[in-house]
Amino acid sequence: MDHEIVIIGGGAGGLELASRLGRKLGRRDGPEKVLLVDRSPYHVWKPTLHEVAAGTLDARQEGLSYAILARRNHFGYTPGEVVAFDPLGKRLTLAAIRDDDGSVVVPQRELRFRHAVLATGCGSNFFGTPGAAEHAWVLERAEDAERFQRHLLAAFTRAAFADERSLSVAIVGAGATGVELAAELLEAHAILQDGLHADQRFRLDITVVEAAPRILAGLPEKISRQAQAELEHRGVRVLVGTPVTAVEKDRLLTGNGEIPADIIVWAAGIQAPASNREFGLDVNRANQFVVDDHLRTSAPDVYALGDCAACPWIDGRLVPARAQAAHQQATYLERTLLTLLRGQAPSDKPFEFRDFGSLVSLGEHRGVGNLMGGLLGRSFFVEGLIAKWMYMGLHLDHHRAILGLRGTIVLALARLLQRRVSGRLKLH
Ligand SMILES: Cc1cc2nc3c(=O)[nH]c(=O)nc-3n(C[C@H](O)[C@H](O)[C@H](O)COP(=O)(O)OP(=O)(O)OC[C@H]3O[C@@H](n4cnc5c(N)ncnc54)[C@H](O)[C@@H]3O)c2cc1C
């Protein structure tokens, strides 16, 4: 069967695009014309994965089933991982779906499309560091974050009963992911300590290791300074200008010596999967699909958005890999695809990324960031509770795009009440 539009990847960008198109096309045409494919049966907004990892957000509660979202927003959905893509033949192959015991639930399939949008995101970039892939945890998918959380809980329990009563975590990379994870782990530990008998309380030592001369190197210096001061004030050891040369089971090796750690997390950079190179499209060194300023790949009728797309921006730079970019690109492609469905030529207006600033969460009540624009077109520094509320606003905005305003309000209230009863930390 041919599909008018196939969107591959239901993350921050792809799911918003499918939802917008489905709602515009309506109950009758939406599911007919738009098909979303994702390898996972449920969606968790990726910027919350550090919370899932620390246990301060329950992925089972946070996760939204694609099948339910498809019904609600009038698009089609099929589970499956795209393993081959033929842009000129306009078809793709989905891997067989298997049960936990390995038996085939659905055999390998082929889908045909008229227009395709690749929105498959990125994974980790280990920069060829020996041992990193084997020994470090990553936060690429909800499943990774959940596995990490179970490992963390076991480590917490071990530390509470061990003679030494301490646990050390080393986080490689002090971008938003590394910094936010450090802050969230501190909170998880603090909540847990409150519920433990004095004999079982243990110390949590967190070290954040960054190769660049400052943390949050992509953001203004004031944000880096503030975030570093906040982390250090709360006992986190921050090492900048310290490239990690190798990762071993229980330590990091750096040019300045070893850093022993019970748990190692790699949050040092992103890269698209090497399999993108086999998709018959132009890719860059980070395996991202090269797109023009209309988000068109090198093949006709194939578009790419979000982290998997290398999209030109200003001063020779690429649009940054952020949820807000994926969101803006989804809005842009919605218009393009609707025009194409009507049989008209899409507008000549190129995609222009507008940077509204960046916000970094430093725990439940704290945040720091900058907001761009405003009346004078300047950048404003925000911090504390206000920054945290704005940060939470981004998450709500994503929910609004896929659940609508009423659905988002109900969900936010339900989550608030649930937290009141069961507490902020998931300990099972
Ligand atoms: C811990 C963390 C914190 C972050 N914090 C922020 C933040 O504060 N602000 C911000 O702007 N950004 C943040 N980011 C970055 C942000 O999450 C990404 O930029 C954004 O999610 C990119 O959206 P996307 O749609 O391109 O890809 P993703 O959201 O990664 O979605 C990709 C989707 O594609 C699916 N998929 C992948 N491969 C296949 C395949 N072969 N077949 C089928 N399906 C496939 C995946 O299952 C997934 O659903 C953070 C990221 C992390 C990890």
Side-chain angles (χ1 to χ4, degrees):
M1 178 180 154
D2 278 10
H3 298 272
E4 285 280 347
I5 299 171
V6 174
I7 300 167
I8 304 141
L15 178 57
E16 289 194 14
L17 177 60
S19 304
R20 285 168 166 281
L21 285 171
R23 283 203 298 266
K24 279 274 163 61
L25 293 168
R27 191 182 300 273
R28 198 171 54 93
D29 286 348
E32 278 278 301
K33 300 211 156 126
V34 181
L35 181 74
L36 177 72
V37 182
D38 201 287
R39 61 187 176 193
S40 171
Y42 67 101
H43 166 75
V44 173
W45 196 49
K46 204 170 175 183
T48 57
L49 288 191
H50 61 285
E51 295 175 52
V52 175
T56 48
L57 187 77
D58 186 344
R60 301 287 141 171
Q61 278 174 21
E62 176 66 16
L64 295 166
S65 300
Y66 285 116
I68 304 286
L69 291 171
R71 183 168 171 267
R72 206 185 164 105
N73 291 308
H74 316 309
F75 61 81
Y77 160 69
T78 191
E81 175 159 13
V82 175
V83 286
F85 189 80
D86 173 5
L88 298 180
K90 296 205 164 180
R91 55 180 179 228
L92 55 86
T93 309
L94 297 177
I97 300 176
R98 290 174 187 278
D99 213 341
D100 282 350
D101 63 7
S103 57
V104 173
V105 178
V106 181
Q108 181 169 303
R109 289 167 288 160
E110 212 172 69
L111 294 181
R112 303 182 71 87
F113 59 82
R114 274 190 64 198
H115 307 280
V117 180
L118 290 153
T120 44
C122 269
S124 305
N125 191 345
F126 297 111
F127 303 102
T129 312
E134 291 83 358
H135 302 303
W137 291 84
V138 291
L139 300 182
E140 291 175 11
R141 306 184 187 190
E143 293 87 337
D144 299 326
E146 285 189 286
R147 260 198 309 276
F148 177 87
Q149 199 252 337
R150 285 196 296 278
H151 183 76
L152 181 71
L153 268 185
F156 276 178
T157 310
R158 205 175 293 119
F161 286 92
D163 291 340
E164 205 168 301
R165 295 225 300 279
S166 72
L167 176 70
S168 55
V169 179
I171 300 173
V172 184
T177 304
V179 167
E180 289 181 343
L181 178 65
E184 216 58 36
L185 290 176
L186 284 174
E187 297 241 341
H189 175 250
I191 299 171
L192 179 68
Q193 293 292 91
D194 278 350
L196 288 181
H197 188 273
D199 289 350
Q200 292 179 335
R201 295 205 179 124
F202 62 92
R203 224 182 49 239
L204 176 65
D205 299 317
I206 302 178
T207 306
V208 178
V209 189
E210 170 59 55
R214 63 183 173 94
I215 70 166
L216 298 169
L219 303 185
E221 269 194 69
K222 187 170 179 189
I223 298 179
S224 304
R225 273 201 308 275
Q226 189 77 15
Q228 180 162 346
E230 177 80 34
L231 288 180
E232 286 177 338
H233 174 70
R234 292 160 74 192
V236 175
R237 192 171 152 225
V238 179
L239 302 176
V240 290
T242 310
V244 170
T245 51
V247 180
E248 293 182 356
K249 190 166 167 283
D250 54 0
R251 77 201 59 218
L252 298 177
L253 307 186
T254 77
N256 306 335
E258 291 184 4
I259 302 168
D262 298 312
I263 300 179
I264 296 167
V265 184
W266 190 270
I270 59 163
Q271 186 180 36
S275 54
N276 283 3
R277 297 194 163 272
E278 315 298 320
F279 278 21
L281 301 166
D282 289 352
V283 292
N284 68 3
R285 278 179 56 196
N287 305 325
Q288 291 166 302
F289 302 111
V290 175
V291 295
D292 64 11
D293 56 5
H294 286 69
L295 306 185
R296 295 177 292 217
T297 65
S298 53
D301 303 322
V302 179
Y303 300 82
L305 65 75
D307 288 5
C308 76
C311 178
W313 190 29
I314 41 171
D315 305 331
R317 284 184 291 159
L318 295 177
V319 170
R322 289 200 217 141
Q324 63 164 310
H327 165 79
Q328 290 177 34
Q329 291 174 332
T331 311
Y332 176 85
L333 276 188
E334 176 203 348
R335 261 177 259 130
T336 305
L337 292 167
L338 283 175
T339 321
L340 287 171
L341 283 181
R342 278 189 226 110
Q344 297 162 356
S347 138
D348 281 342
K349 197 168 176 288
F351 168 72
E352 278 174 38
F353 173 63
R354 271 195 71 194
D355 189 357
F356 290 105
S358 295
L359 295 159
V360 179
S361 166
L362 295 174
E364 191 177 14
H365 302 297
R366 281 165 246 187
V368 62
N370 67 323
L371 298 178
M372 312 287 275
L375 290 177
L376 302 174
R378 285 209 315 254
S379 159
F380 293 90
F381 179 73
V382 279
E383 62 181 322
L385 196 54
I386 295 189
K388 179 66 194 195
W389 281 344
M390 288 179 161
Y391 178 89
M392 284 158 60
L394 297 176
H395 191 183
L396 292 176
D397 226 27
H398 173 67
H399 273 145
R400 197 164 54 87
I402 57 174
L403 291 175
L405 183 62
R406 210 165 35 152
T408 303
I409 294 172
V410 172
L411 191 76
L413 273 176
R415 298 253 162 92
L416 196 72
L417 295 174
Q418 173 81 35
R419 276 185 175 208
R420 280 282 160 104
V421 179
S422 35
R424 187 161 177 254
L425 188 62
K426 179 175 173 258
L427 287 168
H428 59 276

